[in-house]
Amino acid sequence: MKRPSIRSVSGGVTAPRGFRAAGLHAGIKKKRKPDMALIVSDTPCAAAGALTTNQVVAAPVTISRTTLQKGRAWGILGNSGSANCCTGPAGHRAALAVRQAAARQLGIPAGQLLIASTGAIGKPLPVPRMKRAIPTLIRRLSRTGSAAAARGILTTDLITKSAAVRFKTGGRTITIGGIAKGSGMIDPAMATMLCFITTDAPVGATDLKRAVREQVQKTFNQITVDGQMSTNDTVFLLANGAAGGPQLAPGRPGWQPFCEGLRQAMERLARLIAEDGEGATALVTIEVAGTSSNRAAQQIAKQVANAPLVKTMVAGRDPNWGRVAATVGASPVRFNPRRLEIRLGGIPVYRNGGPVRVSKGTLKRRFSGKTPSIQIRVGSGSGRGRALTCDLTHGYIRINAKYN
Amino acid sequence: MKRPSIRSVSGGVTAPRGFRAAGLHAGIKKKRKPDMALIVSDTPCAAAGALTTNQVVAAPVTISRTTLQKGRAWGILGNSGSANCCTGPAGHRAALAVRQAAARQLGIPAGQLLIASTGAIGKPLPVPRMKRAIPTLIRRLSRTGSAAAARGILTTDLITKSAAVRFKTGGRTITIGGIAKGSGMIDPAMATMLCFITTDAPVGATDLKRAVREQVQKTFNQITVDGQMSTNDTVFLLANGAAGGPQLAPGRPGWQPFCEGLRQAMERLARLIAEDGEGATALVTIEVAGTSSNRAAQQIAKQVANAPLVKTMVAGRDPNWGRVAATVGASPVRFNPRRLEIRLGGIPVYRNGGPVRVSKGTLKRRFSGKTPSIQIRVGSGSGRGRALTCDLTHGYIRINAKYN
């Protein structure tokens, strides 16, 4: 059977049929930058998602978890400028009040509007300002509003993050689109602060949930900026079925390309997040092989990706592979150190317990540019893992020493 | 029973009777800085130590492990400028050759000379240069040579690290002295690259080992600079018994003050290491309470101490406690988030699920200076833990982006 070709398209979350979006400055941020975003479907959607596993979670995470359990939503209301976390019962009430106001004016049940917040922790939501902005936000909803919505959820991000893919299956054209924000506080078990994905594919909530989990594991969970898991990490996926036809489901035609399309869209957003890590000048790929399980390889890859000494070495494009050896050795994953092999940009630098003779000039050339890579082998097992990260630079310090 | 008073003295590793030390530039480092150190006792010592638990270990670690197993040594030969790690069989032979040359000229068995290296990984030891330097190194051994030896093991350290304590017990005066080097790559299960301690107390090797392990756990294992465990981390303790009298041992008079004196010397060296962390402007204390075990509290404290977002927040002296909440929440240690309490410099900022009203001016004043502190409570358990760390600054990046 011929595999349908999946192609990139523009349009982000409004590329799929039946979705409108908008973003604006409501006054949550002091600076005059967009700080609210709204995405709404013309019809109710199957909804699925993945939320932070942090024990300290923001009010919108708690509230949206309930909506995701029911698997049905019309849209997503997001904001930047406040994480609405550690804000107590007042913060919970504030989130409900804003959601209630938006849902009423949209004419949808409040329980079917997903919400997500990002920004400083402990800062209350300015409810009156947000309520005042809602009518304008709704009026501006449009089929070309994805970029405005993407801007509305940025914090220290330098670029908006958007992706969309399209493919044909069974006579239908199916589109998947997404926007995201990332930057700092990116890591374990969820690699973006916020990611909103829409699709016009007809998919049931249970299958949608399965697809999200699988593809998040392959994409967002492999990136890391600073090993920090946020209180607000959120991925939402809405499927409104506007493409028509019978439901996509595991084992049926169209399911494989749907999962692959979802993976491609998430992968693109994940790479944009890692590339735009706070202060980043490089997108680093760390590939690990030879473990007994993929999980073990993944664990080593993440450990290397989060090691400050490795991340600063990449910042200086300094092929100081000893730091990679030391970091791999510090991993709880057991291996025979004599079997350890390290390559930088594909060039062997360490094997059989000793350094490989290689011209420093050649090495420096290969371990340079915007996408340096590190390859690690720890044995002959079939386990493989990968992590994407950025370098650790003066920019990260500058941004994070004075955030508030 | 009156506890003997323990007082600080000068003199480092040559403060105890019967030890001489020296340090010089042998040419391992390109710059004309000291890079070799030697400490020798007039008589054979009981020897104990703690070595890195990294799976990738340097040649001197493997070699010294054998000496420690026998529990007997005359001295310590240390070098900076090369870690002699990942250097293969040639690196192992190089370490043995240098040790052999020094032992022969000292007139002691080579197997009773401990060795330790620090510096870049993968760089071979320049054996001929080191051998050429040995006669001078031995000639310079003196009762006032501790500072020279301390300089001989520094890498990116800005200050030499030295401590010594003295107390009387059973009519004897006992002295414990130490030197250390730290800076980057400081963390788990061993918090210094190199630490050499001498004492004139008479202690058997088995008891000495026990004392080292216990006090390392209370001191060096509570500090962290960047969460990186080195391939060369080493603590050596030599006891030559020159103070005379019967052996100190658990349950006998003098054992408690000996352990307490050892703890004080190690604590002082550990603080000096954290204070002198690469690029550090602050020595941060993180105290955790309310867990079910000390181990769990320690785990949370270390996690907070290693969080880049917390370390940059300290760099900016920005009382952005939300980052502390997020980091504690990301810990694998389970707790009820509603019981979480955070104080900065002793001032409550978060409890009962919400922020505590406090003037930002007051908070900024208390969370400033060179020793800011963070207090965390996660419940009503009796577990307590502590971690010492430094802030993450532009200095760390500058030092580590170009190390070689």
Side-chain angles (χ1 to χ4, degrees):
Chain A
M1 199 178 76
K2 191 174 151 286
R3 287 198 137 195
S5 70
I6 298 169
R7 61 195 174 89
S8 276
V9 293
S10 61
V13 288
T14 48
R17 266 168 286 185
F19 287 98
R20 289 169 300 145
L24 53 62
H25 172 73
I28 310 171
K29 291 176 182 167
K30 281 178 207 157
K31 286 190 189 166
R32 212 170 159 75
K33 286 183 173 179
D35 50 23
M36 275 185 89
L38 182 62
I39 303 167
V40 180
S41 169
D42 296 341
T43 53
C45 307
L51 296 167
T52 182
T53 56
N54 199 303
Q55 298 176 85
V56 175
V57 297
V61 171
T62 310
I63 293 167
S64 292
R65 190 172 280 142
T66 308
T67 299
L68 288 181
Q69 276 158 3
K70 296 187 179 150
R72 193 179 163 92
W74 284 78
I76 303 164
L77 179 66
N79 77 271
S80 53
S82 160
N84 195 12
C85 181
C86 296
T87 44
H92 194 87
R93 285 192 300 271
L96 288 176
V98 172
R99 181 175 75 155
Q100 176 66 41
R104 197 179 51 238
Q105 293 175 54
L106 286 165
I108 63 171
Q112 292 183 21
L113 183 60
L114 291 161
I115 56 174
S117 298
T118 178
I121 294 174
K123 194 177 151 186
L125 275 194
V127 176
R129 281 184 202 186
M130 292 175 78
K131 279 189 175 172
R132 272 199 301 276
I134 287 171
T136 311
L137 192 59
I138 293 176
R139 202 165 52 238
R140 290 194 193 165
L141 282 170
S142 87
R143 289 284 297 141
T144 56
S146 182
R151 282 191 295 273
I153 54 172
L154 301 187
T155 55
T156 55
D157 305 60
L158 299 178
I159 56 163
T160 57
K161 292 152 191 84
S162 169
V165 297
R166 185 167 288 159
F167 62 93
K168 289 188 180 180
T169 180
R172 291 171 291 183
T173 298
I174 285 175
T175 309
I176 301 169
I179 58 174
K181 68 80 51 184
S183 238
M185 239 193 193
I186 300 295
D187 184 49
M190 176 66 53
T192 183
M193 287 286 275
L194 303 181
C195 174
F196 306 151
I197 301 180
T198 57
T199 179
D200 48 23
V203 186
T206 307
D207 293 330
L208 204 62
K209 189 172 182 176
R210 174 172 159 179
V212 168
R213 295 220 169 152
E214 283 179 8
Q215 304 314 321
V216 161
Q217 190 54 36
K218 289 184 193 165
T219 56
F220 294 117
N221 283 358
Q222 303 196 343
I223 67 170
T224 181
V225 168
D226 55 9
Q228 303 269 292
M229 177 167 51
S230 139
T231 51
N232 292 56
D233 291 328
T234 296
V235 173
F236 289 145
L237 172 53
L238 297 179
N240 68 4
Q247 283 211 338
L248 301 184
R252 290 201 209 155
W255 182 250
Q256 280 311 320
F258 175 73
C259 291
E260 173 57 19
L262 188 58
R263 192 196 63 75
Q264 287 185 16
M266 285 185 178
E267 172 80 12
R268 173 84 188 126
L269 294 170
R271 292 180 78 91
L272 288 169
I273 287 170
E275 267 174 42
D276 193 28
E278 286 171 346
T281 70
L283 173 65
V284 196
T285 306
I286 293 125
E287 293 164 313
V288 176
T291 50
S292 57
S293 70
N294 288 342
R295 190 194 174 88
Q298 174 82 33
Q299 193 178 352
I300 294 174
K302 270 284 187 78
Q303 185 146 346
V304 173
N306 277 324
L309 284 174
V310 172
K311 291 163 75 76
T312 48
M313 153 196 155
V314 175
R317 303 298 193 278
D318 180 8
N320 191 353
W321 55 265
R323 296 181 177 181
V324 177
T327 307
V328 175
S331 165
V333 177
R334 295 281 111 185
F335 64 94
N336 179 348
R338 266 168 280 178
R339 301 289 300 275
L340 178 63
E341 289 178 26
I342 299 169
R343 286 177 293 146
L344 295 183
I347 301 180
V349 289
Y350 181 72
R351 68 178 163 212
N352 301 325
V356 177
R357 263 177 208 282
V358 49
S359 123
K360 193 148 183 176
T362 309
L363 200 52
K364 283 209 165 231
R365 271 193 302 281
R366 284 288 282 277
F367 195 65
S368 63
K370 290 189 175 288
T371 54
S373 66
I374 300 171
Q375 291 81 25
I376 298 157
R377 174 169 279 280
V378 297
S380 54
S382 62
R384 291 187 161 272
R386 183 190 68 141
L388 290 173
T389 190
C390 58
D391 51 347
L392 174 57
T393 67
H394 289 294
Y396 182 86
I397 307 292
R398 194 179 56 245
I399 293 163
N400 283 298
K402 290 282 179 196
Y403 177 65
N404 263 340
Chain B
M1 199 177 77
K2 191 171 151 284
R3 290 198 136 195
S5 71
I6 298 168
R7 63 194 173 90
S8 275
V9 293
S10 60
V13 289
T14 48
R17 266 167 287 184
F19 286 99
R20 289 169 301 144
L24 52 62
H25 171 75
I28 311 171
K29 290 176 182 166
K30 281 178 209 158
K31 287 190 189 164
R32 212 170 158 75
K33 287 184 172 176
D35 50 23
M36 274 185 91
L38 182 62
I39 303 168
V40 180
S41 169
D42 296 340
T43 53
C45 309
L51 296 166
T52 182
T53 57
N54 199 304
Q55 298 177 83
V56 176
V57 297
V61 171
T62 309
I63 293 167
S64 291
R65 188 172 282 141
T66 307
T67 299
L68 289 179
Q69 275 158 4
K70 296 187 178 149
R72 192 179 165 90
W74 284 77
I76 303 164
L77 178 66
N79 77 270
S80 52
S82 161
N84 196 11
C85 181
C86 296
T87 44
H92 193 86
R93 285 192 301 270
L96 289 176
V98 172
R99 181 175 75 155
Q100 176 66 41
R104 198 180 50 237
Q105 293 174 55
L106 285 166
I108 62 171
Q112 291 182 22
L113 183 61
L114 291 161
I115 57 174
S117 298
T118 177
I121 294 174
K123 194 178 152 185
L125 276 194
V127 176
R129 283 184 201 185
M130 292 176 76
K131 280 189 176 174
R132 273 197 301 277
I134 287 171
T136 312
L137 192 60
I138 293 176
R139 201 164 53 241
R140 290 195 192 164
L141 282 170
S142 87
R143 289 284 299 142
T144 56
S146 182
R151 282 192 295 273
I153 55 172
L154 302 186
T155 56
T156 56
D157 305 60
L158 298 178
I159 55 164
T160 56
K161 291 152 192 85
S162 170
V165 297
R166 185 166 287 159
F167 61 95
K168 289 187 179 179
T169 179
R172 291 170 293 180
T173 298
I174 284 173
T175 308
I176 301 168
I179 58 174
K181 67 80 51 182
S183 239
M185 237 192 195
I186 301 295
D187 183 51
M190 177 65 53
T192 180
M193 288 286 276
L194 303 181
C195 173
F196 305 151
I197 302 180
T198 57
T199 180
D200 48 22
V203 185
T206 308
D207 293 330
L208 204 63
K209 189 172 180 175
R210 175 173 158 178
V212 169
R213 294 222 171 149
E214 282 179 10
Q215 305 314 322
V216 161
Q217 191 54 39
K218 289 183 191 164
T219 56
F220 294 116
N221 283 358
Q222 302 196 346
I223 67 169
T224 181
V225 168
D226 55 8
Q228 304 269 291
M229 176 167 52
S230 138
T231 50
N232 292 53
D233 292 328
T234 296
V235 174
F236 289 145
L237 172 52
L238 297 179
N240 68 3
Q247 284 211 338
L248 302 183
R252 292 203 207 151
W255 181 251
Q256 279 311 320
F258 175 73
C259 291
E260 173 57 19
L262 188 58
R263 191 195 65 74
Q264 287 184 17
M266 284 185 179
E267 171 79 13
R268 174 84 188 125
L269 293 169
R271 293 180 76 92
L272 287 169
I273 287 170
E275 267 174 44
D276 192 27
E278 286 170 347
T281 69
L283 174 65
V284 196
T285 306
I286 293 124
E287 293 163 313
V288 176
T291 49
S292 57
S293 70
N294 288 343
R295 189 195 174 90
Q298 173 82 33
Q299 192 178 353
I300 294 174
K302 270 283 188 78
Q303 185 146 345
V304 173
N306 276 324
L309 285 173
V310 172
K311 291 163 76 75
T312 48
M313 152 196 154
V314 175
R317 303 297 193 277
D318 180 8
N320 190 352
W321 54 265
R323 294 181 179 181
V324 177
T327 306
V328 176
S331 165
V333 177
R334 296 282 111 184
F335 64 94
N336 179 346
R338 266 168 279 179
R339 302 288 300 276
L340 179 63
E341 289 178 25
I342 299 169
R343 286 177 293 147
L344 295 183
I347 300 180
V349 290
Y350 180 72
R351 66 179 164 213
N352 301 325
V356 177
R357 261 176 209 279
V358 49
S359 124
K360 192 150 185 178
T362 308
L363 200 52
K364 282 208 165 231
R365 272 192 302 281
R366 284 288 282 278
F367 194 67
S368 63
K370 289 188 177 289
T371 55
S373 66
I374 300 171
Q375 292 80 24
I376 298 157
R377 175 169 279 282
V378 297
S380 52
S382 61
R384 291 187 162 274
R386 184 189 68 141
L388 290 173
T389 190
C390 58
D391 51 346
L392 175 57
T393 68
H394 288 295
Y396 181 86
I397 308 291
R398 195 179 55 245
I399 293 163
N400 284 298
K402 291 281 177 194
Y403 177 67
N404 264 338

